[in-house]
Amino acid sequence: MAYALLQGRMGEGTERLDGRTELTEDVRSGAGGAPRLSAFWDGGSLVRPLPPSGALTIGRSTSCDVRIDHPSVSRKHAVLHVGPVPRIEDAGSQNGTRVAGRAAVSGAPLAIAAGEVVEIGQVVLVIQGADVAREPVSGITRAPVRTPVAATIAPPPGSRPNETPMQRVERLVRLVAAGNIHVLVLGETGVGKELVSARIHQASRRAAGPLVRIDAASLTEPLLERELFGEGERPGLFESASGGTFVLDEVCALPAGVQAKLLRVLERGEVQRVDSAEPRRVDVRFIASTNRDLRALVAEGTFREDLYFRLNGITIEIPPLRERREQIEGLARDLLAKACAAAGRAPLELGRDAIARLESYDWPGNIRELANAIDRAVLLSTGAAIDPTTVPAGDHVGDVAAGARLRQDLAVFERQRIVEALEKCAGNQTKAAQLLGISRRTLVSRLGEYNLPRPRGGGVK
């Protein structure tokens, strides 16, 4: 299977003898006016210029306009229609052609929206320098519009047989990491966007360079601008990330003024510090993440459309935990080992009953909520195994209200246990922590969390 995606313009690249493409500074900075096609696959890549309009054949045959010599690609695999609305149709290939999981057939080309995935073998294709369709075009079958990320996301379509949603994400991460294309990572809160961003950097040719991250929602506009672009003699984070990767979390929260200046970085590959007229060159790969639907924000006028196209070289959408339940047990065991070590407890067993409850729950907070649930279960469980009643469970997927009630009940139970332990130990915090099976530091943290007074005097420690 392969993936075709829409991005902003980039420059030329030089194909090496081993099939990989050395990207020029023009490519890395995202500059350049002519549309072009980039392709990535395991062990190789290429860049080819595209005409402003017309139809091009893609396949393994030497007679194709764009030749991709890969065994997963048919001799004549697909036809790419270049123009204001990029479109692709299948040409009777063995493996088929898909856009966002929908099959493209001969005579019914599918429009390609920004960042959408098209499958034509095991090659990632990136169309650069084109725009997306805004209005229906006669004779074109359009791929469905994405729903907001905050809503339930359907399992990624077009997966290989027996391939889980996260295996598909990992495959896409591995292929995309080989290039310099900017990436937009989407997913609900707590779903693991930071981890995916880090994996892209670690698997890329920039791995030896810096990985710089900032949360756009965490700072006011003046402070954010100074942090990103620098001020006076002090370099900003963009300069610090030069030669590496810059991860911009919650990109939807960027103020309008910062959006305009970020666009200049992407278009020209240079930054201008606050209170300085001298531009400085930077070589940065951008990974932006958000749990919001940026296309909807563009339609509302709160996010720049040109910036969206620049950032959205490829969209990697991480499915929520409820759509990859096969991972819950493994994640829970890893989190349990870390929680026991942090609490100073011997490793606890995770029995089948506890696993069944975890797998039945909807996890609206995803992996972050799972980690908090495991931390709490370690505190509440007094035996050698996790008490199944201390972990969330749901009668059916989507029972968020029941999960919230359970978390409240667990908090009440935990608070009561702490109070009782302190009473039994005459206020001695060290002994109470030992009785609860947690570290004294964790106990002190819980006292603050539940607004419980720390005992003073006597034998209290």
Side-chain angles (χ1 to χ4, degrees), residues 172 200 226:
L172 190 55
I200 293 172
R226 290 195 295 270

Side-chain angles (χ1 to χ4, degrees), residues 357 372-373 376-377 379-380 387-393 403-417 450:
R357 290 174 64 89
N372 291 335
R376 188 148 299 173
L379 175 65
L380 298 178
D387 182 348
T389 64
T390 66
V391 297
R405 289 194 299 270
L406 178 58
R407 290 192 296 274
Q408 292 173 356
D409 292 343
L410 287 174
V412 172
F413 175 61
E414 179 181 16
R415 189 180 192 279
Q416 184 60 33
R417 282 198 64 216
Y450 294 126

Side-chain angles (χ1 to χ4, degrees), residues 126-160:
V126 185
I127 302 174
Q128 301 157 321
D131 204 352
V132 295
R134 295 181 179 85
E135 301 294 337
V137 179
S138 176
I140 299 176
T141 303
R142 292 185 55 75
V145 177
R146 292 176 181 268
T147 55
V149 177
T152 299
I153 302 173
S159 298
R160 296 176 178 177

Side-chain angles (χ1 to χ4, degrees), residues 214-426:
I214 193 171
D215 184 346
S218 65
L219 301 173
T220 63
E221 180 171 357
L223 183 57
L224 179 64
E225 186 174 347
R226 290 195 295 270
E227 286 294 317
L228 293 176
F229 299 96
E231 183 177 21
E233 297 300 316
R234 184 179 67 85
L237 295 179
F238 288 153
E239 290 181 66
S240 300
S242 192
T245 305
F246 189 91
V247 179
L248 187 58
D249 292 327
E250 297 307 325
V251 65
C252 59
L254 281 179
V258 177
Q259 289 183 36
K261 292 188 175 182
L262 174 58
L263 184 63
R264 172 173 178 161
V265 178
L266 292 167
E267 289 181 334
R268 304 184 184 180
E270 62 184 29
V271 299
Q272 189 171 325
R273 296 178 186 174
V274 177
D275 297 330
S276 173
E278 178 187 357
R280 291 172 169 81
R281 296 289 298 172
V282 293
D283 172 20
V284 178
R285 182 187 199 173
F286 283 89
I287 301 177
S289 70
T290 180
N291 63 355
R292 300 284 304 279
D293 183 1
L294 284 185
R295 292 172 68 179
L297 297 182
V298 168
E300 294 170 3
T302 57
F303 198 87
R304 292 181 64 114
E305 185 178 45
D306 45 8
L307 178 59
Y308 168 70
F309 290 135
R310 285 292 185 179
L311 289 173
N312 190 16
I314 172 173
T315 295
I316 297 181
E317 193 166 310
I318 308 174
L321 191 54
R322 61 183 172 273
E323 293 178 6
R324 43 187 170 116
R325 295 179 186 275
E326 73 282 350
Q327 286 194 305
I328 290 177
E329 179 179 350
L331 288 169
R333 292 190 183 280
D334 290 342
L335 293 168
L336 178 59
K338 295 176 182 178
C340 288
R345 293 194 65 171
L348 296 176
E349 181 184 349
L350 188 65
R352 295 312 311 173
D353 288 345
I355 293 172
R357 290 174 64 89
L358 291 172
E359 291 179 342
S360 72
Y361 182 57
D362 192 38
W363 300 111
N366 293 293
I367 298 175
R368 188 174 301 155
E369 183 183 9
L370 175 61
N372 291 335
I374 294 297
D375 287 343
R376 188 148 299 173
V378 168
L379 175 65
L380 298 178
S381 301
T382 56
I386 290 294
D387 182 348
T389 64
T390 66
V391 297
D395 295 332
H396 56 82
V397 174
D399 194 359
V400 179
R405 289 194 299 270
L406 178 58
R407 290 192 296 274
Q408 292 173 356
D409 292 343
L410 287 174
V412 172
F413 175 61
E414 179 181 16
R415 189 180 192 279
Q416 184 60 33
R417 282 198 64 216
I418 292 174
V419 171
E420 292 174 354
L422 288 169
E423 289 177 351
K424 289 180 180 179
C425 298

